[in-house]
Amino acid sequence: MRWVTYETDGGDRVGVVDGDRIHPVAPGVGLIDLIGRGARELRA
């Protein structure tokens, strides 16, 4: 699993890379926030 931060017109977003697609996380959630929540939350 690879996590990315990418730029959109609405600001930076976090997502999960799957092949050649990025699956976005809810707006306003940062990667550091997710990491701080622990492995269980990252998998969810």
Side-chain angles (χ1 to χ4, degrees):
M1 181 182 310
R2 283 185 30 212
W3 292 90
V4 294
T5 300
Y6 61 99
E7 186 177 345
T8 69
D9 292 337
D12 288 349
R13 293 280 303 266
V14 172
V16 177
V17 177
D18 180 23
D20 61 349
R21 300 188 73 184
I22 296 174
H23 300 275
V25 174
V29 176
L31 187 53
I32 298 300
D33 298 328
L34 287 173
I35 292 169
R37 295 178 187 177
R40 187 173 290 172
E41 280 290 320
L42 284 171
R43 281 189 223 94

